Amino acid sequence: MRFFISYTRADKGWAEWIGHEVEEAGHSATLQAWDFLPGMNFVLQMQEAASSTDRTIVVLSPDYLTSQFGATEWAAAFRTDPEGLKQKLLPIMVRPCEPTGLLSSIVYVEVHDLSEEQAREAVRNALAGRRGKPSGRPSFPGAALRRDDGHGQSTPGGLSSSLKPLVPKLKVRASDLDRKQFLRDGFRTIQKLFESHARQIHGEQPRITVDVELTANTDMRAEIFLDAKSVSACRVWIGGLVERTAIGYAEGQHFSENSYNEMLSIEEDDELYFRATLAMGFQKVSVDPKRMSAEQAGQYLWERFAARVGSH
């Protein structure tokens, strides 16, 4: 079965993950990032994909609901199956939002709060038209209705879930150890994302080879070769100008501790996140450089690293 994946730029990562799951399940997936080549007419390609594929997957998010192109793409599938009998339209919600109008009448799959394995199972069930029953045994909900009486004795609950004690939410600041672990985990996530992208891009474009080398536990080098010619190189490492409290990124062939093009600092409000401190001159990326998870930080650095390839 042929699937067209409709999404916005902000959800490109989700769209590619879903596309991979579609093809792993034995179907074919068409999406802009993979199939719309340079020089093609974007609007005509969208129209052709939306009208010629069997089903349309909508990557639902707040950005998608405000997208003019998104509305055109899902409407094309809706017109051919307004009652949903053929399941032509399959919305997959990747970020919390409230669909309105005709789109609100279509049952969607929520994956934004699931683990990767749970999300995979939910998407595969939806692709096959199967029930949403999980493969594992559900946890026993009654355990949540028992409380400790303060003396080590558990007593049954039974109170209405709306009757909850008013407890002020206390903000707990992350410790130095939390920040150090977040930094190390972030570096490992960036490394794994680079390695994954390297394998994928070589599979799709054999002319391109990406060499990723871990020179130390917290220091990585990557280089892109086009027809065996080096066209881009970068270094990613844990370090800063004064203290090792950030992730540095440098482009070029020769690197030093004091030379970098980007520095990802750790910020905190309700949670820890990465912020690109030098993103002013590089805004055309698929993530918000002012607030990024580790995976988004890796995508941000990868897009900067790979941007040079398009000029060759």
Side-chain angles (χ1 to χ4, degrees), residues 182-257:
F182 182 78
L183 193 67
R184 287 183 173 178
D185 290 345
F187 177 82
R188 283 193 289 267
T189 297
I190 293 170
Q191 173 202 343
K192 291 178 181 178
L193 184 139
F194 266 59
E195 291 172 344
S196 174
H197 282 1
R199 290 191 296 270
Q200 181 177 334
I201 197 171
H202 186 66
E204 297 175 4
Q205 294 286 351
R207 294 175 56 200
I208 300 176
T209 298
V210 184
D211 179 57
V212 180
E213 178 186 7
L214 194 64
T215 59
N217 288 336
T218 58
D219 199 328
M220 177 185 76
R221 311 293 169 93
E223 190 167 6
I224 299 179
F225 297 88
L226 176 61
D227 296 328
K229 178 183 178 181
S230 178
V231 294
S232 182
C234 75
R235 177 192 180 200
V236 182
W237 76 103
I238 291 180
L241 291 178
V242 181
E243 298 179 355
R244 297 173 64 83
T245 56
I247 292 180
Y249 168 81
E251 298 172 351
Q253 296 292 340
H254 305 286
F255 308 109
S256 69
E257 290 291 338

Side-chain angles (χ1 to χ4, degrees), residues 13 45 48 100 127 152 170 178 200 204 263 267 277 286 306 312:
Q45 289 298 314
E48 171 66 19
T100 59
L127 295 176
L170 301 179
D178 292 332
Q200 181 177 334
E204 297 175 4
M263 190 66 69
E267 305 291 337
T277 60
S286 63
H312 289 78

Side-chain angles (χ1 to χ4, degrees), residues 17-18 21 92 109 111 118-128:
W17 184 86
I18 293 171
E21 292 304 317
I92 299 178
V109 179
V111 299
Q118 291 171 328
R120 177 174 294 111
E121 183 176 24
V123 169
R124 293 289 184 92
N125 284 342
L127 295 176

Side-chain angles (χ1 to χ4, degrees), residues 2-296:
R2 298 168 301 167
F3 286 83
F4 169 56
I5 301 179
S6 175
Y7 67 98
T8 63
R9 183 185 210 177
D11 302 308
K12 177 174 176 286
W14 272 110
E16 292 191 292
W17 184 86
I18 293 171
H20 181 78
E21 292 304 317
V22 167
E23 299 203 334
E24 283 288 297
H27 308 290
S28 65
T30 299
L31 60 158
Q32 179 186 348
W34 294 354
D35 300 293
F36 293 7
L37 304 179
M40 288 183 171
N41 185 301
F42 170 81
V43 176
L44 292 180
Q45 289 298 314
M46 282 292 188
Q47 182 180 1
E48 171 66 19
S51 60
S52 64
T53 49
D54 300 305
R55 299 174 70 186
T56 295
I57 292 177
V58 170
V59 182
L60 269 180
S61 71
D63 291 275
Y64 188 87
L65 295 181
T66 60
S67 167
Q68 181 179 0
F69 282 115
T72 303
E73 292 159 18
W74 71 256
F78 185 88
R79 281 195 299 269
T80 61
D81 185 28
E83 296 179 347
L85 299 179
K86 301 177 183 178
Q87 296 180 308
K88 294 276 289 184
L89 195 59
L90 174 56
I92 299 178
M93 186 178 291
V94 299
R95 287 188 283 145
C97 59
E98 292 290 337
T100 59
L102 295 175
L103 192 58
S104 65
S105 65
I106 306 299
V107 178
Y108 52 81
V109 179
E110 291 185 84
V111 299
H112 50 84
D113 285 332
L114 303 180
S115 67
E116 183 173 2
E117 288 305 315
Q118 291 171 328
R120 177 174 294 111
E121 183 176 24
V123 169
R124 293 289 184 92
N125 284 342
L127 295 176
R130 293 192 294 263
R131 299 169 64 198
K133 179 181 177 182
S135 57
R137 178 185 292 274
S139 60
F140 176 55
L145 298 178
R146 303 186 66 85
R147 59 183 176 84
D148 194 297
D149 65 3
H151 301 285
Q153 299 295 322
S154 294
T155 58
L159 293 176
S160 168
S161 60
S162 63
L163 300 177
K164 297 180 179 179
L166 181 60
V167 179
K169 184 177 181 181
L170 301 179
K171 189 170 184 178
V172 180
R173 304 292 297 180
S175 67
D176 291 341
L177 183 59
D178 292 332
R179 287 173 167 266
K180 185 174 183 179
Q181 190 61 50
F182 182 78
L183 193 67
R184 287 183 173 178
D185 290 345
F187 177 82
R188 283 193 289 267
T189 297
I190 293 170
Q191 173 202 343
K192 291 178 181 178
L193 184 139
F194 266 59
E195 291 172 344
S196 174
H197 282 1
R199 290 191 296 270
Q200 181 177 334
I201 197 171
H202 186 66
E204 297 175 4
Q205 294 286 351
R207 294 175 56 200
I208 300 176
T209 298
V210 184
D211 179 57
V212 180
E213 178 186 7
L214 194 64
T215 59
N217 288 336
T218 58
D219 199 328
M220 177 185 76
R221 311 293 169 93
E223 190 167 6
I224 299 179
F225 297 88
L226 176 61
D227 296 328
K229 178 183 178 181
S230 178
V231 294
S232 182
C234 75
R235 177 192 180 200
V236 182
W237 76 103
I238 291 180
L241 291 178
V242 181
E243 298 179 355
R244 297 173 64 83
T245 56
I247 292 180
Y249 168 81
E251 298 172 351
Q253 296 292 340
H254 305 286
F255 308 109
S256 69
E257 290 291 338
N258 297 324
S259 174
Y260 61 93
N261 300 94
E262 184 60 270
M263 190 66 69
L264 304 183
S265 63
I266 300 178
E267 305 291 337
E268 179 182 6
D269 44 33
D270 292 331
E271 61 182 0
L272 295 175
Y273 61 91
F274 286 107
R275 180 178 183 274
T277 60
L278 301 175
M280 295 81 71
F282 202 94
Q283 296 288 351
K284 295 182 180 180
V285 291
S286 63
V287 300
D288 178 5
K290 296 179 180 179
R291 185 188 182 96
M292 299 178 289
S293 65
E295 187 174 27
Q296 290 170 329

